Amino acid sequence: MLNAFSALARGTRLVLSPGLRRYVFLPILANLLLYVGTLVYLFDNFGGWIDYGMRQVPGWLNWLEWLIWPLLVASLAVVVFFTFTLVANLIAAPFYGFLAEKVERQVTGRPPLDDRGFARAAVDALGRELVKLGYILPRMALLFLLGFVPGLNLVMPFLWAAFSAWMMAVTYLDYPMDNNLVSFVEMRRRLRSRWWPTLTFGGWVMAASWVPVLNLLLLPGAVAGAVLMWQQHYRDLPVAAERAKRP
C-alpha cells in the first residue's frame, strides 16, 4: 500500500529520472525567482507585521506574551509560505499539469483521459488554478481574521497546520485528477472519502515546501507523487451519482 511519504519520495526520484527531469526545469526556474523575491519582501516586512500583531493583544493577556509571540510568528510564517506556494503554483500550473501527464504515461504506460493539446491544457490549467484560489482564499482570510480573536489565536497555528495540509492536498492531487477529467467538486469529494491519505500527503508536501532551496525540487516531486497517489487511492473510487459539471 503506497503511503504519503513514499509517494513523495518516489515522485521526487521520478522527476530526476532522464525521461522526466527536462520537464521540471521551467517550474524550478519560476519558483526560484519567486522564492528570492518572497524572501527579500519577508525580511523587509516581517518584523513590522509581528509588532503590529502584538499591539492588538489586549492588556489582560500581556502575561501570556511569552506564548503569544511565538504563536503569532508561526501563524504569520505559515500564511507567508502558503501564499508563496499558491502563487508559485499559479505560475507553474501549465507545466505541472504537463508533468503530471508525462509521469502518468511513464508509470502506467497509458495516457490520461484528457486529450487536450498543450496550449489548450495550459489555458485550462490557469482557469483551474483560479477555481482553486476561489476555494482557498476565502478560507485563508477567515482563518487570518480568527487569529485576532483573543484566546482563539492560541490555537491558530494548529488550525493553520490542518488547513494547510488539506490545501496542499487539494493543490497537488488536483493535477492528475484534472488530467483525467475529474471535476473540482468531484475531486474534493474523493479527497474527503480518503481523508487519511489525503491529509498525510498534504502534510508531507507542506513540510517539503518549508525546506529552503530543496523545496524547489520537492514541489515538482509532489506533482509526480500526486500521480502515484491518484493511481493507488483515488482512481477507482465510484463517481458521485450527481457529478458536478467540470470547470
Side-chain angles (χ1 to χ4, degrees):
M1 188 70 160
L2 184 75
N3 62 43
F5 180 78
S6 62
L8 181 59
R10 185 181 169 195
T12 302
R13 291 195 298 271
L14 275 172
V15 298
L16 290 174
S17 64
L20 292 173
R21 59 190 175 203
R22 64 180 179 271
Y23 298 115
V24 304
F25 173 74
L26 285 177
I28 287 177
L29 178 60
N31 285 345
L32 178 61
L33 295 175
L34 183 61
Y35 185 75
V36 172
T38 299
L39 286 179
V40 172
Y41 184 75
L42 184 63
F43 288 142
D44 286 343
N45 295 279
F46 198 77
W49 294 340
I50 295 297
D51 292 340
Y52 175 79
M54 292 303 298
R55 289 196 298 270
Q56 308 310 306
V57 177
W60 62 274
L61 283 178
N62 284 343
W63 65 280
L64 279 177
E65 184 174 342
W66 62 274
L67 178 61
I68 294 174
W69 189 88
L71 290 177
L72 183 60
V73 170
S75 296
L76 282 174
V78 168
V79 171
V80 169
F81 278 93
F82 193 58
T83 302
F84 159 78
T85 302
L86 290 175
V87 176
N89 286 333
L90 181 63
I91 295 172
F95 306 104
Y96 281 166
F98 190 57
L99 174 62
E101 176 191 343
K102 296 301 179 183
V103 170
E104 187 166 342
R105 284 178 181 270
Q106 180 164 314
V107 169
T108 67
R110 62 179 184 270
L113 296 177
D114 194 350
D115 59 357
R116 293 171 295 178
F118 177 75
R120 174 62 186 275
V123 172
D124 288 351
L126 290 175
R128 185 83 165 206
E129 288 300 311
L130 293 176
V131 171
K132 291 182 198 176
L133 288 177
Y135 174 77
I136 292 170
L137 290 180
R139 291 161 176 80
M140 283 185 63
L142 177 61
L143 280 177
F144 185 75
L145 293 175
L146 289 176
F148 292 99
V149 178
L152 186 59
N153 52 14
L154 298 178
V155 300
M156 290 311 298
F158 306 103
L159 294 179
W160 272 111
F163 174 76
S164 298
W166 172 254
M167 289 303 100
M168 287 295 185
V170 167
T171 297
Y172 285 89
L173 289 165
D174 184 54
Y175 292 119
M177 295 203 197
D178 184 33
N179 284 345
N180 284 276
L181 306 179
V182 176
S183 74
F184 188 69
V185 173
E186 171 68 12
M187 181 269 295
R188 299 198 325 266
R189 187 195 66 82
R190 294 191 186 202
L191 296 190
R192 288 193 299 269
S193 70
R194 292 289 187 268
W195 65 270
W196 179 248
T198 296
L199 288 180
T200 52
F201 181 74
W204 280 114
V205 175
M206 180 182 68
S209 71
W210 281 75
V211 181
V213 182
L214 188 59
N215 58 7
L216 299 175
L217 180 61
L218 289 174
L219 294 183
V223 175
V227 175
L228 301 176
M229 294 289 289
W230 154 253
Q231 296 293 330
Q232 179 72 50
H233 296 285
Y234 305 100
R235 175 186 281 276
D236 295 329
L237 290 177
V239 179
E242 295 294 331
R243 181 171 179 174
K245 184 177 179 181
R246 184 174 179 268

